[in-house]
Amino acid sequence: FQQAFDAANLRSSVDPILIARLINNLARLEFLRGNYFRAEALARDALAGRSSALESNHPDLAETKLVLGSILTECGDVQEAEALLRESSLARGRLYPRDHWLVAEAESALGWNLVRQGRMSDAETLLLNSWHATASVLLPEHVVRQTVGRRLASLYSRPEMKSDGALGTHSAEQAT
């Protein structure tokens, strides 16, 4: 990715949307590697490029908001992340059927953000819906399905979710 990005930056005739796609993919890769500082900078660059080149309802713009929102959630900037993740989720909800795995991916990221904020009830609904949508169409080894499963299992392993209250009705084993 880095070599492709460097090559693309050397050519002024390269489509700015292509450059933004490369930068977004680099941001996702750096995020998965745990390089959050670099991932955030790349995702912000991708968002700037895509925001200036694409319509507000474009799926690539929703993708970049999802990537940046996910990074910011892990970095602890949950308020900015929540706004981006809500925008991504709403955009994908307008672009795809309600039970589409891309909608579920965005809702899962938003749900995880809400877990990080301690808003368990709202998070549980989003994560359960995401699990049902991804488990029915994605193979078990698909990264999105695995991520949704890990998030749901993590939610149910939290002490506040193990009580006899309204939220304590599921177990971590049911999520995987």
Side-chain angles (χ1 to χ4, degrees):
F1 279 123
Q2 188 65 49
Q3 289 175 342
F5 173 67
D6 291 342
N9 263 343
L10 294 176
R11 298 181 185 174
S12 61
S13 62
V14 174
D15 182 359
I17 296 172
L18 174 60
I19 292 173
R21 177 175 290 142
L22 289 171
I23 295 170
N24 186 75
N25 289 340
L26 277 172
R28 189 180 278 266
L29 179 62
E30 292 296 330
F31 174 63
L32 292 173
R33 289 180 171 171
N35 298 328
Y36 298 147
F37 181 76
R38 178 148 170 73
E40 181 183 346
L42 288 165
R44 287 189 187 281
D45 285 348
L47 183 60
R50 284 182 162 178
S51 293
S52 65
L54 300 171
E55 297 288 325
S56 63
N57 62 346
H58 196 282
D60 288 352
L61 190 55
E63 161 71 13
T64 300
K65 289 178 181 181
L66 170 67
V67 170
L68 181 55
S70 297
I71 294 164
L72 293 174
T73 295
E74 294 307 314
C75 291
D77 190 353
V78 293
Q79 299 304 318
E80 182 182 358
E82 181 182 353
L84 288 164
L85 294 170
R86 284 194 184 282
E87 290 174 20
S88 177
S89 182
L90 288 171
R92 284 185 169 186
R94 286 189 297 269
L95 293 165
Y96 305 105
R98 174 73 185 96
D99 60 348
H100 195 282
W101 71 270
L102 288 170
V103 176
E105 179 185 31
E107 288 185 350
S108 168
L110 177 57
W112 184 243
N113 175 277
L114 297 176
V115 168
R116 298 289 300 262
Q117 294 184 56
R119 295 163 54 191
M120 302 306 179
S121 181
D122 294 334
E124 181 181 34
T125 300
L126 288 167
L127 290 172
L128 279 173
N129 290 342
S130 298
W131 173 250
H132 291 298
T134 57
S136 65
V137 297
L138 300 178
L139 295 173
E141 60 271 11
H142 194 284
V143 67
V144 172
R145 181 175 170 178
Q146 290 178 352
T147 300
V148 172
R150 277 194 306 272
R151 288 172 173 162
L152 191 56
S154 179
L155 172 73
Y156 287 134
S157 69
R158 292 174 180 266
E160 59 270 39
M161 296 300 290
K162 293 180 181 180
S163 70
D164 291 331
L167 297 179
T169 58
H170 301 290
S171 68
E173 292 78 31
Q174 290 174 308
T176 56

